[in-house]
Amino acid sequence: NAGVMQNPRHLVRRRGQEARLRCSPMKGHSHVYWYRQLPEEGLKFMVYLQKENIIDESGMPKERFSAEFPKEGPSILRIQQVVRGDSAAYFCASSPGWGNQPQHFGDGTRLSIL
Amino acid sequence: TQLLEQSPQFLSIQEGENLTVYCNSSSVFSSLQWYRQEPGEGPVLLVTVVTGGEVKKLKRLTFQFGDARKDSSLHITAAQPGDTGLYLCAGILTQGGSEKLVFGKGMKLTVNP
C-alpha cells in the first residue's frame, strides 16, 4: 500500500498521559498536514509541515500539542497530558508540493481518552 | 466561524433519486475540492475544481464551481446505496506562505435500497 499510513488506528489513553500519533506520507511527498475531526464535524486544520520545518501551526492549541517531521522517519503529532476533550479522529494528509496540489489522506487515528 | 457552509447537512433518499449538495462561502478560494468519507476511513478525493464556472463530471456525479469561485455544488444522478457516505467540500486557503484545506461540516447521505 503506497498510501498515507497512520498508526496506531486506535489509541486509548487515560487523562494525564501522553499520546503519540504517527504518519508516514505517500512516497515522494514531502508536505504533511494534520487535521482533527470531532463527531458530526468537518476536519479542522492543525499544522502543516515540510521535512524538518513547521510551516504553519496556526490550528494547533498553544499548549500540550506539538508536531514534528524529521529528516528521517514519520511525522509525529504529540499530545501531552491528554484531557477528555482531546478525544477525536486525527487525520494526516500528504502532498507532493505547493500550489493546488491534492492532499491524500490516511485512515486516521481514533484517540479515546478515559 | 465556519468559512464553508454545506447544505443540507443530512439527506436520506431512495435509490434512483437525484440530489444536489451545496457548498457556499463568502471567501474566494484558489480551488475547491470534494471528498467522500466512509465511517472509519479517511476522506477520499473525488474532484478538484479550479476555474470559475468549471463543470466536471465523474460518472453520475457532476461538480460545478461558481463563477466567483466562492461556491460549488455536487449533483448526483440516480443515487445508489453505494453512494452512502459523508460528502465534504474543502477550499484551498493560501496565505502567508502556507497552504491548507478549509473544510465544510459535510453532508451525510444515506441512500436506501
Side-chain angles (χ1 to χ4, degrees):
Chain A
N1 187 345
V4 177
M5 302 300 293
Q6 289 189 248
N7 68 82
R9 290 294 309 275
H10 300 273
L11 183 61
V12 180
R13 285 287 178 265
R14 295 189 182 278
R15 281 178 293 171
Q17 291 185 321
E18 179 179 288
R20 280 185 181 238
L21 288 61
R22 294 174 186 78
C23 169
S24 296
M26 282 182 72
K27 190 175 181 181
H29 287 192
S30 58
H31 297 238
V32 165
Y33 311 79
W34 285 93
Y35 295 84
R36 177 163 64 177
Q37 186 175 35
L38 295 170
E40 308 301 330
E41 296 276 332
L43 285 79
K44 296 266 196 266
F45 168 80
M46 297 182 75
V47 63
Y48 165 30
L49 310 105
Q50 295 178 27
K51 284 284 187 182
E52 300 183 278
N53 285 306
I54 296 175
I55 306 302
D56 182 349
E57 55 182 350
S58 58
M60 290 269 275
K62 293 286 185 278
E63 297 177 350
R64 303 187 297 109
F65 284 72
S66 62
E68 62 177 9
F69 188 18
K71 188 176 180 182
E72 301 290 338
S75 175
I76 307 283
L77 178 66
R78 183 181 176 209
I79 311 172
Q80 294 178 288
Q81 299 175 330
V82 296
V83 301
R84 287 254 170 88
D86 296 333
S87 294
Y90 292 83
F91 289 95
C92 169
S94 72
S95 72
W98 228 69
N100 291 332
Q101 297 283 341
Q103 294 184 18
H104 298 266
F105 283 80
D107 283 336
T109 294
R110 271 108 190 124
L111 176 63
S112 298
I113 308 302
L114 301 179
Chain B
T1 305
Q2 195 73 24
L3 272 183
L4 280 171
E5 298 284 346
Q6 285 189 244
S7 62
Q9 291 188 21
F10 301 93
L11 189 60
S12 181
I13 60 172
Q14 294 301 121
E15 183 176 359
E17 291 186 37
N18 302 332
L19 68 115
T20 302
V21 55
Y22 299 94
C23 178
N24 297 301
S25 174
S26 56
S27 301
V28 175
F29 292 98
S30 57
S31 68
L32 199 141
Q33 301 181 338
W34 284 91
Y35 289 83
R36 180 164 165 261
Q37 184 181 21
E38 299 199 47
E41 298 183 7
V44 175
L45 180 66
L46 296 174
V47 78
T48 300
V49 285
V50 179
T51 307
E54 183 177 6
V55 176
K56 280 191 174 178
K57 287 183 183 284
L58 187 66
K59 295 184 181 177
R60 293 176 293 101
L61 278 59
T62 302
F63 305 86
Q64 186 160 6
F65 201 13
D67 291 339
R69 291 189 289 132
K70 291 183 179 181
D71 53 85
S72 181
S73 64
L74 158 60
H75 182 78
I76 302 179
T77 304
Q80 298 176 1
D83 295 328
T84 294
L86 180 68
Y87 289 83
L88 296 157
C89 67
I92 294 183
L93 196 61
T94 304
Q95 55 186 189
S98 174
E99 189 172 79
K100 59 195 169 194
L101 288 174
V102 176
F103 281 86
K105 285 189 176 183
M107 191 274 293
K108 194 168 183 180
L109 173 66
T110 304
V111 182
N112 302 297

